Amino acid sequence: MPSTAVLEALAAFVEERDWAQFHSGANLAKSVVIESGELLELFQWTDEAPRDDVAAELADVLSYCYLLAMKLDLDPDKIVLDKLEETRVKYPVEKARGRSEKYDQLPD
Amino acid sequence: MPSTAVLEALAAFVEERDWAQFHSGANLAKSVVIESGELLELFQWTDEAPRDDVAAELADVLSYCYLLAMKLDLDPDKIVLDKLEETRVKYPVEKARGRSEKYDQLPD
Amino acid sequence: MPSTAVLEALAAFVEERDWAQFHSGANLAKSVVIESGELLELFQWTDEAPRDDVAAELADVLSYCYLLAMKLDLDPDKIVLDKLEETRVKYPVEKARGRSEKYDQLPD
Amino acid sequence: MPSTAVLEALAAFVEERDWAQFHSGANLAKSVVIESGELLELFQWTDEAPRDDVAAELADVLSYCYLLAMKLDLDPDKIVLDKLEETRVKYPVEKARGRSEKYDQLPD
């Protein structure tokens, strides 16, 4: 999972500013999307975006993801690994190899 | 950072399916937004979303974030901590405490 | 449909700047999301956003929607009315009245 | 503007279902983004998306845009034309022709 230091730093940042009052699930989910849009803006007309800019925007997306995870007492690593297990089943290697279709459109 | 096991599991998942060919920066950034939209859909009309559903959608957002980070050789923990330092400066505790305005609209 | 004047003004704006070269379907779809994220940012922590700001951001979303429609030779009015017919079937008044669930979760 | 018929059809659809109670500004803005994400999903790994699918998703984005405009008593055509005037000033033809940079990064 993100190191405890990261989660603790985020939690302390919010606590010091008394911002938990604004962090409803809906508001955090909105924030994840808003920051994702800023990340995408770096790639609006191009495949190449400045690495430092990507780092800064990606950090914002991750921060709100971690805040939402903490709010719901979800372990970021565990949910990623759990979901990956499900995705493995939906996209078996022999069917999905080298293909970008959605699982329900993959040829048998 | 996310445990090495998580990043390695994601990398192996992609490698086994030969999907790196689809993972341009722009496509991964699009994927982060697409999955963020699915996360937000759980909160479209409500502040309360089923925790298991949030876990599954949040996992998708995180997975694409980590894939983009790996592609650009960015350490997820480091970029979050670096950005947090910048945000601390923009939102000093004494100005931002209990307020949700953007930094350039905070009262002096 | 949007008045011909609006579509013509948008087309002329792009033509004068020789921007059609950047307007692939994917780039326009990215732009719709990016601008939608900026619209949502006005409502990040609140239900009340300044009307003029909403107008400006909503205009950006609409502009890219119209550019994408023109690129694919789609009539904005027609597609909205066509989709509305489909949605009427999915959400019959007697089942959906006063309820916000998705169609597949509405009680019989 | 979208023909009166379109706006009236949308308004009647909502009225019949008693859905105005769910249509806060924030919820409509969320809906615009959620539908935009579904539109983008059609272009996740490709520049070519099926035209009928684009029509259906674009219709959803437009529908929520119009509902938000009606809620705030904004004329869709007018706000697009007003914003276009501002954008003309930010992107003068002689500076922006054939370039995709943001206005503050255009060469003089």
Side-chain angles (χ1 to χ4, degrees):
Chain A
M1 68 179 166
S3 66
T4 311
V6 168
L7 297 183
E8 285 177 357
L10 286 166
F13 178 85
V14 170
E15 165 71 20
E16 286 160 13
R17 283 158 189 76
D18 193 20
W19 280 356
Q21 60 184 307
F22 307 123
H23 288 187
S24 65
N27 285 358
L28 289 173
K30 282 189 265 177
S31 301
V32 171
V33 183
I34 291 165
E35 299 298 343
S36 298
E38 295 187 13
L39 172 65
L40 185 62
E41 192 180 359
L42 299 171
F43 295 94
Q44 188 169 12
W45 311 114
T46 177
D47 243 29
E48 305 300 322
R51 184 169 175 271
D52 286 356
D53 294 350
V54 175
E57 298 299 345
L58 192 54
D60 287 338
V61 181
L62 284 170
S63 297
Y64 281 117
C65 285
Y66 293 153
L67 288 169
L68 181 54
M70 279 190 281
K71 184 179 172 70
L72 296 180
D73 200 22
L74 294 166
D75 174 330
D77 267 16
K78 184 176 177 341
I79 63 176
V80 170
L81 290 174
D82 285 353
K83 186 63 181 275
L84 198 58
E85 275 319 293
E86 287 179 38
T87 313
R88 276 183 207 286
V89 176
K90 271 178 159 171
Y91 294 90
V93 169
E94 63 278 12
K95 282 182 65 176
R97 192 173 171 79
R99 310 193 67 103
S100 63
E101 290 97 333
K102 262 195 123 165
Y103 66 95
D104 54 5
Q105 287 160 16
L106 285 171
D108 280 324
Chain B
M1 69 179 166
S3 67
T4 312
V6 168
L7 297 183
E8 284 178 359
L10 285 166
F13 179 85
V14 170
E15 165 71 20
E16 286 160 11
R17 284 158 189 76
D18 193 20
W19 280 356
Q21 60 184 309
F22 306 124
H23 289 186
S24 64
N27 284 359
L28 290 172
K30 280 188 267 178
S31 302
V32 171
V33 183
I34 292 164
E35 300 298 344
S36 298
E38 295 186 13
L39 172 65
L40 185 62
E41 191 180 359
L42 299 171
F43 296 95
Q44 187 169 12
W45 311 114
T46 178
D47 242 29
E48 305 300 323
R51 184 168 175 270
D52 286 356
D53 295 349
V54 175
E57 298 300 344
L58 191 54
D60 287 337
V61 181
L62 284 170
S63 297
Y64 280 117
C65 285
Y66 293 153
L67 288 170
L68 181 54
M70 280 191 280
K71 184 178 171 71
L72 296 180
D73 200 22
L74 294 166
D75 175 331
D77 267 16
K78 183 176 178 339
I79 63 176
V80 169
L81 290 174
D82 285 353
K83 187 63 181 279
L84 198 58
E85 276 318 295
E86 288 178 38
T87 313
R88 276 183 206 285
V89 175
K90 271 178 158 171
Y91 294 88
V93 169
E94 63 277 13
K95 281 182 65 176
R97 192 171 171 80
R99 310 192 66 103
S100 63
E101 290 97 333
K102 262 196 124 164
Y103 66 95
D104 53 7
Q105 286 160 17
L106 286 172
D108 281 324
Chain C
M1 71 178 166
S3 66
T4 311
V6 168
L7 297 183
E8 285 177 358
L10 285 167
F13 178 85
V14 170
E15 165 71 21
E16 286 161 11
R17 283 160 189 75
D18 192 21
W19 280 357
Q21 61 184 307
F22 306 124
H23 289 186
S24 64
N27 284 358
L28 290 172
K30 280 188 266 178
S31 301
V32 171
V33 183
I34 292 164
E35 299 298 345
S36 298
E38 294 185 14
L39 172 65
L40 185 62
E41 192 180 358
L42 299 171
F43 296 94
Q44 187 169 12
W45 311 114
T46 177
D47 242 28
E48 305 301 323
R51 185 169 175 270
D52 286 355
D53 294 349
V54 175
E57 298 301 343
L58 192 54
D60 287 337
V61 181
L62 284 170
S63 297
Y64 280 118
C65 284
Y66 294 153
L67 289 169
L68 182 54
M70 281 190 279
K71 184 178 172 72
L72 296 180
D73 200 21
L74 294 166
D75 174 330
D77 267 16
K78 184 176 178 339
I79 63 175
V80 169
L81 290 174
D82 285 354
K83 187 63 182 275
L84 198 58
E85 275 318 293
E86 288 178 38
T87 313
R88 277 183 205 285
V89 176
K90 272 178 159 170
Y91 293 89
V93 169
E94 63 277 12
K95 281 181 66 175
R97 193 172 170 79
R99 311 193 64 104
S100 63
E101 289 96 333
K102 264 196 122 165
Y103 66 94
D104 53 5
Q105 286 159 17
L106 286 171
D108 281 321
Chain D
M1 72 179 165
S3 66
T4 311
V6 168
L7 297 183
E8 285 177 357
L10 286 166
F13 178 85
V14 171
E15 166 71 20
E16 287 160 11
R17 283 159 190 75
D18 192 20
W19 279 357
Q21 61 184 307
F22 307 123
H23 288 188
S24 65
N27 284 358
L28 291 172
K30 280 188 266 178
S31 301
V32 171
V33 182
I34 291 165
E35 300 297 345
S36 298
E38 294 186 13
L39 172 65
L40 184 62
E41 192 180 358
L42 299 171
F43 296 95
Q44 187 169 13
W45 310 114
T46 177
D47 243 28
E48 305 301 322
R51 183 169 176 270
D52 286 355
D53 294 349
V54 175
E57 297 301 343
L58 192 53
D60 287 338
V61 181
L62 284 170
S63 297
Y64 281 117
C65 285
Y66 294 152
L67 288 170
L68 181 54
M70 280 190 279
K71 185 179 171 71
L72 297 180
D73 200 23
L74 295 166
D75 174 330
D77 267 16
K78 184 176 177 338
I79 63 175
V80 170
L81 291 174
D82 285 354
K83 186 63 182 275
L84 198 58
E85 276 318 293
E86 288 179 37
T87 313
R88 278 184 205 286
V89 176
K90 271 179 160 170
Y91 294 89
V93 169
E94 63 277 12
K95 281 182 65 175
R97 194 173 168 77
R99 311 193 64 104
S100 63
E101 289 97 336
K102 263 196 121 164
Y103 67 94
D104 53 6
Q105 287 159 17
L106 286 171
D108 281 323

